[in-house]
Amino acid sequence: MKTALVTGILGQDGPYLAKLLLEKNYKVYGLISRYANPNFSNLDYLGITSQIDYLQGDMTDECSLMNIIKNIRPDEVYNLAAQSFVAASWDQAKLTTEVNSLGVLYLLNAIKLFSPATKFYQASTSEMFGNSNINGEQNEATPFHPRSPYAISKLYSYWITNNFKESYGLYCCNGILFNHESPIRGKEFVTRKITDGIAKIKLGLAKEIRLGNLDSKRDWGFAGDYVRAMYLMLQQAKPDNYIISTGVSHSIRDFCAIAFNHAGLTDWEKYIVIDPQFKRPAELFSLQGKSSKAKDVLGWEPEVTFEQLIKMMVEADLSRYK
Ligand code: NAP
């Protein structure tokens, strides 16, 4: 039986990845930093809470990570833990850097010292590109130009992951994932904020949704599809870095129109209030990824379309409030 350690097990991607690994008969360990009142709701949603072995540790606590790696020596580590909310990274830049940058260094050091055969996946992000693009899209060769403390912290982790591969021969991969969403996306993220708000409006529990820049464009996929790519990256003969995206980008405006329409609410613009507090200090206008390398090497392609994703999220939020 293969073993995997998943950090960020309580977030969005952790539960989807854990479910996939359990289906593949892995023993799955999940890192939990706060043992007082951990929130298992996302794992509950996928029905796998009792199938994970939980370990206590924090990405900012090197010793806890060393002990964990030394004790379990997992076949694979998927590092999904992060302060992942871009907007918060301007207010909490130091914390973001400690978790997202130094935390990765600690984890890699633990692997190097105690379990060098462990394969390592780092959750890198399209945010590292900023507004940089080649003919309007981003691929593995597009230069990085991060535009937030979050993206900068992730750029460090991207390079330290590459560096441990090149310096020590560890099996380390970066998945450069474009935005991916699901019914268990955090409610502070714009897509879920919209679908959650729509459900409340539909049921008479709210009157408006406050948003920032409706013209920002993102390449949105489904988290359940994207965790398959993470798994595939660690099953190859050689470690490498891959863009994971749908190749299609939409504006927040498009997202709203489809989501409101699906809930049967017409004239959607009357429910939206543009609130400057939700605009970023440095805006990122358009992301559209080219994931042909992942298709050619990993055989990976997204299955859920933009419309199907929105429908899934709206329906999940409507049934929660009902
Ligand atoms: P998420 O829902 O925010 O989950 C992140 C998890 O990290 C949370 O469960 C959180 O635990 C945990 N965490 C935070 N600080 C920690 C610490 N100091 N020690 C241990 N755990 C800590 O993020 P996600 O959407 O699943 O994304 C997974 C990863 O992919 C993240 O690294 C994110 O930056 C990256 N990524 C995401 C996207 C996307 O569109 N979703 C795109 C590209 C890259 P608590 O719940 O206890 O706070």
Side-chain angles (χ1 to χ4, degrees):
M1 184 186 255
K2 275 192 175 179
T3 53
L5 170 66
V6 179
T7 73
I9 192 78
L10 303 180
Q12 171 188 249
D13 292 1
Y16 279 104
L17 176 65
K19 188 162 193 290
L20 178 80
L21 295 173
L22 288 167
E23 283 163 5
K24 295 190 179 295
N25 208 27
Y26 276 61
K27 181 175 179 64
V28 179
Y29 294 96
L31 183 80
I32 295 196
S33 58
R34 286 178 296 120
Y35 250 44
N37 294 320
N39 183 349
F40 292 106
S41 59
N42 289 347
L43 289 160
D44 289 343
Y45 185 84
L46 297 183
I48 55 168
T49 309
S50 62
Q51 296 173 58
I52 314 284
D53 283 61
Y54 300 101
L55 299 168
Q56 188 175 7
D58 193 287
M59 293 303 292
T60 60
D61 185 316
E62 188 170 18
C63 195
S64 66
L65 300 177
M66 295 249 178
N67 280 331
I68 286 171
I69 296 297
K70 193 174 164 190
N71 289 337
I72 66 171
R73 294 168 174 252
D75 293 300
E76 296 167 9
V77 170
Y78 295 86
N79 182 37
L80 311 183
Q83 190 303 95
S84 75
F85 190 43
V86 179
S89 73
W90 275 277
D91 296 327
Q92 299 188 42
K94 180 169 179 273
L95 174 76
T96 303
T97 308
E98 284 173 353
V99 177
N100 299 4
S101 306
L102 288 180
V104 182
L105 174 64
Y106 300 156
L107 202 43
L108 284 165
N109 264 332
I111 290 171
K112 182 186 113 192
L113 287 173
F114 298 113
S115 189
T118 295
K119 294 180 171 184
F120 181 77
Y121 172 86
Q122 170 56 21
S124 286
T125 167
S126 54
E127 291 277 335
M128 299 188 304
F129 294 117
N131 290 322
S132 174
N133 65 73
I134 297 171
N135 299 327
E137 57 184 13
Q138 292 87 18
N139 64 24
E140 289 84 358
T142 306
F144 297 121
H145 187 137
R147 301 253 298 166
S148 64
Y150 167 78
I152 293 164
S153 72
K154 285 285 188 171
L155 198 55
Y156 174 86
S157 53
Y158 171 88
W159 282 116
I160 200 70
T161 298
N162 284 334
N163 186 256
F164 269 60
K165 175 177 71 177
E166 292 167 9
S167 304
Y168 308 116
L170 300 187
Y171 189 110
C172 297
C173 298
N174 281 288
I176 307 172
L177 271 54
F178 282 58
N179 293 59
H180 46 281
E181 319 295 314
S182 73
I184 55 171
R185 181 65 142 151
K187 284 187 193 172
E188 64 278 23
F189 294 90
V190 69
T191 52
R192 182 75 197 290
K193 187 175 175 180
I194 294 167
T195 61
D196 179 75
I198 287 174
K200 285 196 215 158
I201 291 169
K202 180 80 181 168
L203 298 171
L205 303 169
K207 289 193 164 55
E208 62 184 34
I209 305 173
R210 302 183 86 82
L211 298 174
N213 183 1
L214 293 188
D215 296 315
S216 290
K217 291 178 91 179
R218 294 289 182 274
D219 179 333
W220 278 297
F222 171 51
D225 281 343
Y226 284 35
V227 299
R228 265 192 295 117
M230 299 176 188
Y231 165 76
L232 287 169
M233 282 179 219
L234 297 200
Q235 314 311 314
Q236 306 305 308
K238 280 189 193 159
D240 207 343
N241 302 327
Y242 298 88
I243 295 271
I244 301 298
S245 64
T246 69
V248 185
S249 75
H250 297 272
S251 65
I252 293 171
R253 194 179 294 282
D254 296 338
F255 191 101
C256 285
I258 295 172
F260 274 92
N261 185 46
H262 187 69
L265 293 167
T266 49
D267 295 335
W268 64 269
E269 276 159 318
K270 74 180 180 205
Y271 300 108
I272 302 296
V273 177
I274 300 300
D275 187 336
Q277 71 159 306
F278 296 116
K279 292 193 174 165
R280 292 185 182 185
E283 192 49 81
L284 205 164
F285 302 111
S286 180
L287 287 172
Q288 182 172 306
K290 191 167 169 35
S291 56
S292 45
K293 179 176 169 185
K295 185 179 175 191
D296 293 346
V297 181
L298 306 176
W300 178 87
E301 279 187 280
E303 288 173 1
V304 174
T305 66
F306 183 60
E307 286 76 12
Q308 287 168 336
L309 170 66
I310 296 175
K311 189 173 166 208
M312 188 194 304
M313 293 176 72
V314 170
E315 282 175 6
D317 279 320
L318 279 171
S319 64
R320 278 186 183 109
Y321 282 104
K322 274 180 192 157

